[in-house]
Amino acid sequence: MTISSLGVGSGLDLSGLLDKLMEAEKIPLTSISTKAEAANTKLSAYSLAQSTLVTFQGSVSALSSLSYYQKTSASVGDTAVATVSAGTGAASGSYSLTVNSLAQSQRLASSAVASKTDNLSTGAGTIKIALEWGAISGGTLANGTYSSATFTPDGKGGKTIELDASKSSLTDIRDAINQSDAGLTATIVNDGGGYRLSIANSVTGEDHSLKISVSDDTGGEITGLLAHDPAGTQALTETQAAQNAHFTLDGIAVSKPSNTVSDMLEGVTLTLLSTNVDKSTSISVSRDTSAARSAADQLVSAYNTAMKSFKDLTAYDAENKSASVLTGDSGVRSVQSALSKVLTQSNPNAPQGYRNLADIGITLQKDGTLAVDSAKLDKAVAGNYDAVVALFAQGAASSDPGISVESTGSLAQSGKYQVEITQVATKGFAAFDFSAGFVQGDGSIDLSTADAAMRTMMVSVGGASKSITLDDVRYGSANDLASALQTKINEAFNSSGVSLSVTADSAGRFTVTSGEYGSQYSVHVAPTAGLFDSYAETAGMDVAGRIDGRDVTGSGQTLTGAAGTLTAGLKLKITAEAPTTATISFSQGAAYQFDQVASSLTGETGPFNTRIDGLNKTLESLTKQYSTMEERINATEMRYRAQFTSLDSLVSKLNATSSYLTQQLSAISAM
């Protein structure tokens, strides 16, 4: 017999009985659900508190940077003469500008040839065109040619272009120059009598004139066309001389290699457009001090919003005797305390009246919120804008331009510190003379007879070593060889992240100097025996001195405050050329401190994150408990249901038997 519903067969209320039994079994589930609901409620509250803190940090973070307060505007009276823009660090001021001449780049032109597509070389082999830049001085210039002039290389190395004699037409030369990435633009001009090559420098300035050396053993035609030494034989004609921009600013004569000048007034970029010799124009740079008022309003708003949120999360309704989710929570209290503590910070080294936020009109009210006294703030801004900025942002200043603050780190404390530089940083260098056997009477250096091993040297700097092999040619002068060596070194060290410069003096002594300062960039040159007659090295030196009375040794030009001191992590860039002293003023304003505090509180070990992690683990555990308990209850219900089904079936059978016997007994009694 199958019972489809408990109690149908037996007539007993087995379903009701099972329901009551299961209600009792499910009581632990209700307890787990209640705990989970409470944990979820707290999790939501802590997540809101964490979100409030993150939002607060986002609001004050931008206010902690000095760049926020250093907005400036600039204008020029006559925009046809120049344009001007002002950025970080620009100081307010008005200036008078007179432009006498604009910077221009050098242009050269070759003699005419009959065809632009026919090969100019009659031989076979490789043609090398060596380019070098520098300054032309002395002598005279007539009809595009210099006489008795001097060419001084810029020491930055040059560029070598190679051509095959089978591809040596004027068109091939033009294409090779344009594809060389040498900063030159070559064009072909038909002047009516033939084709001429015009070469234009892309860089302006009188120190960027061009010298061209040609190594051509294929017939010499290219040498006769392109070889150009302003101090010697000149195959090219100068159609435009390299020239600096010359102008006066407030009566001070200035010469710059470019028409865009950004190193004259700090934070100001001036672009010269035309001359105005007869009539000066004005330049005006002004500071936008509204940033301080904006910062005050933004900081107050962010603080009040955050504190209101925390207050709501921990509020207690005394009338209804009802507590909020986080009433009395120590984590929220610690955050409120950490933020409010920033408001009490004071910088005793700041000017009187600018030592804390209350001095400039930002005060704490009885209800725990901040308010701004606009009149007091405006007066403070007008009186000392930089001091107001110091109360908001992190910043530093030096009394000596040769000592600048590179970075401040997170450990250095606000204050004024004395800095004494006892040793400035120097660059390492190696000096040598080529063997007298290679030096000719005319000052040239002939390496054409030296084998590759003899012409090879190992150059080392900053942990990088490269093998350099000079060409087997006769160099016209020590400067020519220095330029060739510079080019070889540039090519070899291109991917090493270090730089070297090569110079030669009038006595033929060569110097290879590191591009970086400090002991780790000392230079070593190891030639094959017999290449040099004399050799000496001078190691680079690191800057050294005292910061706040503590002896410190730097790295290169960087001097860092000693660990465990008030200046720990403060990095100074020392560009002074001789020992000096200076005062460093360092401030950590309220916005910066709020940013740092919020960053710490929102980190992995912050009070809200640790509680959120704990609650998530609790919810995970409760979910597992609920699942395990639910499985056990389901199994118990199935067991009860099976037992009750058997009972129902048995009682049903007994009832049937009872009914049958009753019928039989009634029949017997009737008989």
Side-chain angles (χ1 to χ4, degrees), residues 383-465:
N384 191 333
Y385 182 74
D386 289 335
V388 172
V389 171
L391 285 172
F392 290 106
Q394 181 195 46
S398 169
S399 63
D400 189 325
I403 301 177
S404 59
V405 179
E406 193 171 77
S407 63
T408 54
S410 59
L411 300 177
Q413 302 298 306
S414 298
K416 286 186 178 180
Y417 304 102
Q418 292 299 311
V419 177
E420 180 183 359
I421 304 304
T422 56
Q423 168 63 51
V424 297
T426 60
K427 295 180 177 180
F429 62 89
F432 50 85
D433 297 303
F434 277 86
S435 173
F438 297 118
V439 181
Q440 308 303 304
D442 61 357
S444 63
I445 301 175
D446 190 0
L447 299 181
S448 61
T449 60
D451 59 24
M454 175 64 76
R455 290 180 280 106
T456 299
M457 63 184 75
M458 186 66 70
V459 180
S460 304
V461 63
S465 297

Side-chain angles (χ1 to χ4, degrees), residues 113-461:
V113 298
S115 171
K116 65 178 180 179
T117 56
D118 291 345
N119 285 332
L120 298 174
S121 177
T122 59
T126 301
I127 303 164
K128 294 181 180 179
I129 303 172
L131 309 173
E132 185 177 12
W133 288 267
I136 302 172
S137 59
T140 58
L141 174 65
N143 299 319
T145 301
Y146 287 93
S147 60
S148 303
T150 300
F151 180 82
T152 305
D154 61 9
K156 298 178 181 178
K159 186 82 175 182
T160 299
I161 301 171
E162 294 189 2
L163 289 173
D164 192 273
S166 64
K167 295 182 178 180
S168 59
S169 70
L170 203 63
T171 299
D172 293 325
I173 296 173
R174 177 199 63 190
D175 294 344
I177 291 175
N178 289 337
Q179 294 168 11
S180 68
D181 193 30
L184 300 175
T185 300
T187 56
I188 295 175
V189 179
N190 185 344
D191 65 1
Y195 296 94
R196 303 175 66 185
L197 186 69
S198 175
I199 302 174
N201 254 315
S202 62
V203 179
T204 59
E206 59 191 27
D207 290 339
H208 206 73
S209 294
L210 186 62
K211 176 182 177 181
I212 304 176
S213 304
V214 180
S215 175
D216 178 9
D217 55 7
T218 66
E221 291 84 358
I222 306 301
T223 300
L225 181 72
L226 292 181
H228 184 81
D229 183 357
T233 302
Q234 300 159 59
L236 300 173
T237 300
E238 185 175 76
T239 58
Q240 178 174 289
Q243 177 178 288
N244 277 7
H246 295 277
F247 58 97
T248 59
L249 190 73
D250 275 359
I252 300 174
V254 182
S255 175
K256 295 292 181 181
S258 172
N259 291 315
T260 299
V261 183
S262 57
D263 59 352
M264 180 183 58
L265 296 173
E266 185 178 2
V268 176
T269 298
L270 181 68
T271 302
L272 305 177
L273 302 176
S274 65
T275 60
N276 63 332
V277 179
D278 298 329
K279 184 180 180 181
S280 64
T281 188
S282 62
I283 295 176
S284 177
V285 181
S286 58
R287 174 182 280 181
D288 180 7
T289 59
S290 64
R293 178 54 193 266
S294 175
D297 291 339
Q298 189 170 333
L299 185 144
V300 167
S301 175
Y303 181 87
N304 289 344
T305 299
M307 286 305 189
K308 182 180 184 305
S309 179
F310 295 141
K311 184 178 180 180
D312 291 343
L313 287 170
T314 58
Y316 178 77
D317 187 346
E319 184 178 345
N320 297 315
K321 297 182 179 180
S322 173
S324 299
V325 179
L326 300 182
T327 298
D329 184 82
S330 61
V332 177
R333 287 202 307 271
S334 68
V335 170
Q336 290 173 309
S337 175
L339 294 181
S340 60
K341 185 178 179 181
V342 172
L343 300 175
T344 64
Q345 299 297 311
S346 181
N347 181 6
N349 296 311
Q352 187 70 33
Y354 294 90
R355 294 180 176 178
N356 53 55
L357 292 177
D359 283 346
I360 62 171
I362 301 176
T363 55
L364 192 64
Q365 308 302 294
K366 292 182 179 179
D367 61 357
T369 62
L370 290 177
V372 180
D373 183 333
S374 299
K376 192 171 184 179
L377 177 60
D378 291 342
K379 183 178 179 180
V381 168
N384 191 333
Y385 182 74
D386 289 335
V388 172
V389 171
L391 285 172
F392 290 106
Q394 181 195 46
S398 169
S399 63
D400 189 325
I403 301 177
S404 59
V405 179
E406 193 171 77
S407 63
T408 54
S410 59
L411 300 177
Q413 302 298 306
S414 298
K416 286 186 178 180
Y417 304 102
Q418 292 299 311
V419 177
E420 180 183 359
I421 304 304
T422 56
Q423 168 63 51
V424 297
T426 60
K427 295 180 177 180
F429 62 89
F432 50 85
D433 297 303
F434 277 86
S435 173
F438 297 118
V439 181
Q440 308 303 304
D442 61 357
S444 63
I445 301 175
D446 190 0
L447 299 181
S448 61
T449 60
D451 59 24
M454 175 64 76
R455 290 180 280 106
T456 299
M457 63 184 75
M458 186 66 70
V459 180
S460 304
V461 63

